[in-house]
Amino acid sequence: MPAIAILGGQWGDEGKGKVVDYLAQRAHTVARFGGGSNAGHTVINQYGEFRMHLVPSGVFYPHVTCLIGNGVVVDPKVLLEEIDLLRGRGVDTSRLFLSDRAHLVMPYHVLLDGLEEEARGAGALGTTRRGIGPSYVDKAARLGIRAGELLDREPFRKRLAFVLEQKNALLTRVYGREPLSLEGVFNEYCAYGERLRPFIRDTGLLLEAALERGEWVVLEGAQGALLDLDFGTYPYVTSSSPTIGGALTGLGVSSRRLEQVLGVFKAYSTRVGEGPLPTEMEKEMGQRVRERGHEYGATTGRPRRCGWFDGVAARYASRLNGFTGLAITRLDVLDELPALKLCGAYKVGHETLEHFPASLPLLERCQPVYEELPGWQAPLRNIRRFEDLPPRARAYIKKIEEITSCPVVLVSVGPQREETILPRPLF
Ligand code: IMP
């Protein structure tokens, strides 16, 4: 039976956490497939407000099993802190499992993330400095350490000794820093391993069993299509694949299991960190949307850059992922604006571009071609039915459908679970 993927269609922070939380009411398993503690999903429910970095957003439901898949890079310290916080607030974490194949973020990854950013100077990428890039680098270089390895002390020590020698050479000879102590890192990570032992499993088997039982499985994305290592605004990207391929590889699930691929988009655009944002708003408007939408990074607290809805980027994300439907979040943030712009194409000189270009210099020269729609200037937060939305808000949603050729199946008008509108049946 079916899996439904929830993927970010923009530069991350689209509100996937809320959409997953909403869908988890009907699901039995929620499985995170990529990224690491660079992600920050805000979920608001009966337990309070949570900023989750690693634990899937389904953890608040007693009937949901949560999996952290092999494609996630896990900082065990952050994961354990999150588990402790959840438990402390009365949330049951006994149905949470971590893939034995998930790579770990090690202390040298966090150090190197910061040092590499400093070395880039003016060309810094604006990473979250959580060690994500260096951890994926080691995975590809066959120098990574996986969660399952923590459970077998001696082989773990041997591999760590080999890897740490190389990392210490880098830290001391290239960056002039102090080396890390093998004993220190080994003991720290063995202790994490002991605490994580009950959670570590072959999550691929758990996922397969759930699908075989005919249960709904939600594949929970992190980041967004425009941050994808292959398809994003390289090099201003993250080091994983937040698009559909990453969802399958990051969990070890077949594409034949997928029934729906839901693209999550804000009703406007935001980006945190460096790199192009073609529809970036002028300063005053950007500030207005940022304040009204509380657009500050959930992980780093950095102010997010705000832009109008970018239809060229959205079409691109939709094509890459094969979205079967869109979830439009934060429509209420636009409530007060007298006029709204949507970008349907880019212009470079006299040429019109309808496809998202690979070349960064070209993208930086792109001028958005906007269509302007009147704002609805009315509060949306209490509305629960699509037909009750002001006609101008419906027209805005229709325009997004037209630009992307994709139906909107969910509209979010506030952070709470119930502040959700389903224009058409989702299940
Ligand atoms: P990294 O993933 O920490 O290496 O950061 C690379 C880029 O991705 C930076 O611009 C980050 O701000 C951005 N990024 C990473 N994770 C997220 C996220 O969850 N939301 C938004 N931006 C993110």
Side-chain angles (χ1 to χ4, degrees):
M1 260 288 279
I4 174 166
I6 311 297
L7 306 177
Q10 296 163 313
W11 283 271
D13 307 320
E14 298 91 351
K16 296 177 290 293
K18 169 172 169 177
V19 176
V20 171
D21 178 70
Y22 185 81
L23 294 178
Q25 297 176 79
R26 294 284 298 272
H28 291 82
T29 301
V30 176
R32 171 92 187 262
F33 63 78
S37 44
N38 49 351
H41 291 170
T42 306
V43 178
I44 302 174
N45 56 31
Q46 72 273 26
Y47 295 98
E49 180 169 341
F50 293 84
R51 289 200 174 165
M52 316 278 283
H53 299 289
L54 283 165
V55 174
S57 312
V59 72
F60 301 100
Y61 293 99
H63 64 276
V64 173
T65 296
C66 288
L67 308 179
I68 300 175
N70 54 281
V72 181
V73 289
V74 176
D75 186 329
K77 184 166 182 265
V78 175
L79 176 59
L80 285 164
E81 279 169 7
E82 218 159 280
I83 291 171
D84 288 342
L85 183 105
L86 287 164
R87 282 181 176 161
R89 286 164 75 176
V91 182
D92 176 16
T93 56
S94 63
R95 290 156 294 94
L96 170 68
F97 299 102
L98 165 64
S99 169
D100 48 7
R101 290 181 171 88
H103 280 250
L104 297 176
V105 173
M106 305 297 288
Y108 41 83
H109 292 142
V110 180
L111 277 174
L112 287 168
D113 201 353
L115 292 167
E116 285 166 8
E117 275 289 85
E118 275 154 36
R120 286 183 194 112
L125 305 177
T127 76
T128 60
R129 299 186 179 221
R130 302 292 150 116
I132 306 304
S135 178
Y136 280 116
V137 166
D138 276 1
K139 177 176 179 175
R142 278 92 33 113
L143 287 173
I145 294 185
R146 307 202 290 183
E149 290 182 68
L150 296 181
L151 306 181
D152 208 350
R153 285 176 72 96
E154 282 322 304
F156 169 46
R157 181 198 282 273
K158 225 165 133 185
R159 286 209 64 237
L160 180 65
F162 173 73
V163 175
L164 199 58
E165 208 176 301
Q166 303 200 18
K167 299 299 164 186
N168 276 340
L170 195 57
L171 286 171
T172 56
R173 291 191 219 155
V174 176
Y175 292 107
R177 298 294 160 128
E178 290 297 308
L180 293 171
S181 120
L182 173 61
E183 281 316 297
V185 178
F186 177 69
N187 289 331
E188 182 186 348
Y189 274 67
C190 282
Y192 296 147
E194 280 320 304
R195 286 205 57 206
L196 287 174
R197 190 179 283 277
F199 299 95
I200 297 176
R201 295 286 168 87
D202 184 336
T203 49
L205 293 178
L206 297 177
L207 197 63
E208 188 58 24
L211 289 163
E212 279 299 310
R213 285 195 298 273
E215 296 172 2
W216 272 96
V217 171
V218 174
L219 314 185
E220 177 178 357
Q223 289 84 42
L226 280 312
L227 289 174
D228 187 280
L229 184 58
D230 284 84
F231 301 109
T233 50
Y234 194 88
Y236 298 97
V237 293
T238 190
S239 296
S240 62
S241 181
T243 45
I244 191 65
L248 304 177
T249 316
L251 287 164
V253 66
S254 160
S255 59
R256 285 164 49 206
R257 295 292 194 179
L258 274 176
E259 185 161 302
Q260 293 189 49
V261 184
L262 203 58
V264 187
F265 291 80
K266 266 180 200 163
Y268 46 98
S269 308
T270 62
R271 173 165 203 163
V272 63
E274 303 308 317
L277 178 63
T279 58
E280 190 153 9
M281 292 167 174
E282 45 101 299
K283 203 169 167 221
E284 206 180 301
M285 181 60 78
Q287 200 143 342
R288 193 168 166 188
V289 171
R290 178 160 49 250
E291 291 317 314
R292 184 161 159 86
H294 311 291
E295 292 292 359
Y296 293 89
T299 299
T300 57
R302 290 178 292 177
R304 294 177 185 144
R305 295 151 61 195
C306 297
W308 299 108
F309 189 86
D310 186 338
V312 181
R315 271 199 302 270
Y316 176 56
S318 187
R319 172 169 69 79
L320 291 172
N321 288 301
F323 290 146
T324 56
L326 307 185
I328 304 297
T329 64
R330 297 185 160 235
L331 191 63
D332 57 299
V333 171
L334 304 180
D335 278 358
E336 289 171 359
L337 301 187
L340 306 165
K341 292 186 195 177
L342 290 120
C343 161
Y346 298 151
K347 261 224 139 62
V348 187
H350 295 299
E351 208 187 321
T352 302
L353 226 69
E354 294 197 352
H355 302 289
F356 201 80
S359 153
L360 217 61
L362 177 58
L363 189 60
E364 274 156 3
R365 290 204 308 279
C366 284
Q367 292 300 319
V369 181
Y370 288 119
E371 191 166 333
E372 200 165 296
L373 263 59
W376 46 92
Q377 298 192 285
L380 302 186
R381 279 190 75 164
N382 293 325
I383 297 175
R384 297 290 172 268
R385 296 189 321 166
F386 190 69
E387 51 275 29
D388 295 338
L389 283 172
R392 287 175 173 183
R394 274 185 276 145
Y396 188 76
I397 295 290
K398 291 272 170 234
K399 183 51 77 183
I400 291 178
E401 289 186 325
E402 196 184 299
I403 290 178
T404 57
S405 311
C406 205
V408 170
V409 295
L410 187 150
V411 178
S412 172
V413 291
Q416 305 284 341
R417 197 177 278 166
E418 59 277 9
E419 290 170 324
T420 305
I421 298 171
L422 300 185
R424 28 172 80 78
L426 230 181
F427 293 100

